[in-house]
Amino acid sequence: MESDSQSPVPLLATEVTTPEGEYESRIANVNTTPAQCTTEYFSWRHLTDLSAKVPELVEQFGSITASLMGDCVLLGTDSGAVVVGDYLGRVKAVLGSQATATYGSVSALAFSTDLLMIIAGYSQGYVVVWDWTKGTTVSVSRPVQSGDGADTIGHPADTAITSVGFVGK
């Protein structure tokens, strides 16, 4: 079966011919365009612009250890950074600091439904919620340590978070 780079059913009401126009149109309409009926379960994208930037991103932030592709691209790295970008290779935000480097490499990523928050799981058992539009940390959940009380519940230290997500709206 041949892969067609163009979607047979437009995902938006507006036809856009350039990758920049398609991306900007999708982001502009993410909360305003009602879902359209389609039999399509996925769409093919040309990722040449993003792929060309990967070596530069790896050099700056470390090897990619987790990724999430949606209306934006999330790349988690072995240095604990989360890079928020788009399909054209433009970096929108870089989340992380020396503190997150001690959490280990990023092992899981998710967006909130409104695309304003990002949750990142780390290889040492930490979970961080970010407001990526402000570049701020909303919360940090640390793993259970050996000195914590016997009734303490949570993720064990030194074991990777393998899946994260937001519950509710």
Side-chain angles (χ1 to χ4, degrees), residues 61 65 76-82 95-97 100-106 122 130:
F61 306 109
T65 56
T77 69
D78 62 356
S79 68
V82 176
L95 308 170
S97 64
T100 56
T102 64
Y103 300 165
S105 60
V106 178
Y122 289 82
W130 303 92

Side-chain angles (χ1 to χ4, degrees), residues 51-91:
S51 296
K53 291 284 272 190
V54 168
E56 178 185 329
L57 294 172
V58 167
E59 186 175 317
Q60 283 185 287
F61 306 109
S63 296
I64 296 169
T65 56
S67 64
L68 178 68
M69 306 289 181
D71 283 329
C72 291
V73 176
L74 297 180
L75 302 173
T77 69
D78 62 356
S79 68
V82 176
V83 179
V84 183
D86 63 24
Y87 288 99
L88 301 175
R90 298 178 293 196
V91 174

Side-chain angles (χ1 to χ4, degrees), residues 27-51:
I27 292 301
N29 294 306
V30 75
N31 290 324
T32 59
T33 303
Q36 295 183 354
C37 294
T38 179
T39 58
E40 189 175 290
Y41 294 101
F42 63 90
S43 64
W44 293 102
R45 295 187 183 271
H46 287 286
L47 298 178
T48 52
D49 293 329
L50 177 60
S51 296

Side-chain angles (χ1 to χ4, degrees), residues 94-164:
V94 178
L95 308 170
S97 64
Q98 294 290 45
T100 56
T102 64
Y103 300 165
S105 60
V106 178
S107 53
L109 293 164
F111 262 118
S112 62
T113 55
D114 63 3
L115 302 177
L116 298 177
M117 303 286 182
I118 294 170
I119 188 168
Y122 289 82
S123 63
Q124 298 299 313
Y126 287 84
V127 176
V128 179
V129 177
W130 303 92
D131 179 335
W132 78 271
T133 61
K134 296 177 184 171
T136 58
T137 304
V138 176
S139 71
V140 176
S141 174
R142 71 173 183 81
V144 175
Q145 304 294 322
S146 60
D148 291 340
D151 60 342
T152 304
I153 58 172
H155 194 81
D158 301 322
T159 57
I161 302 291
T162 57
S163 180
V164 292

